[in-house]
Amino acid sequence: DIGLQEKALKNGNLMWYAAALLARYTLSPQWKIAVRGEMYNDKDGVIVPTGTANNFQVIGASLNLDYAPADNVLARIEGRMLMSKDEIFPKKWGDLSKTDNFIATSIAISF
């Protein structure tokens, strides 16, 4: 993805972009595993203004395991890590960090 936004008071444009690379491997009809690498560059703070020197410039990676017990049901567990040029991710007690790591789960049911 790429975007341009015209500056309000000056000549020129502000640009942001994002990219991702994904790979998935089928272990069985019900089980799949996937990895993703991603990067975001919004140094002008067009989409995600952080108020820091570099605004939102982040790279990340994730690993997920999917289980589909039926054609219309998908359960996922995903581990994800993000790294920023600046301290933008909230931590305990109001502190900020350059990294954010988490595990998420979800269940999707389609009708």
Side-chain angles (χ1 to χ4, degrees):
D1 295 325
I2 188 168
L4 291 171
Q5 179 173 318
E6 188 176 338
K7 290 183 182 180
L9 302 175
K10 298 180 182 178
N11 293 332
N13 293 313
L14 303 175
M15 184 175 74
W16 60 269
Y17 56 91
L21 180 63
L22 300 96
R24 183 172 77 174
Y25 182 74
T26 300
L27 301 168
S28 74
Q30 290 85 25
W31 292 94
K32 295 177 176 62
I33 190 167
V35 295
R36 179 179 65 233
E38 57 196 320
M39 60 89 55
Y40 304 92
N41 189 317
D42 184 13
K43 66 180 179 178
D44 295 312
V46 176
I47 304 296
V48 186
T50 65
T52 61
N54 294 293
N55 273 305
F56 197 72
Q57 294 188 60
V58 174
I59 60 171
S62 68
L63 173 67
N64 66 271
L65 180 64
D66 293 343
Y67 174 61
D71 288 342
N72 66 331
V73 178
L74 179 69
R76 172 176 288 176
I77 184 166
E78 178 176 13
R80 190 169 181 200
M81 60 181 250
L82 299 170
M83 296 171 286
S84 173
K85 284 191 169 189
D86 297 321
E87 293 180 340
I88 61 170
F89 299 112
K91 294 292 181 187
K92 291 181 183 179
W93 314 111
D95 292 334
L96 295 175
S97 173
K98 290 184 177 185
T99 62
D100 192 22
N101 305 302
F102 55 92
I103 295 175
T105 61
S106 63
I107 297 176
I109 301 171
S110 59
F111 298 98

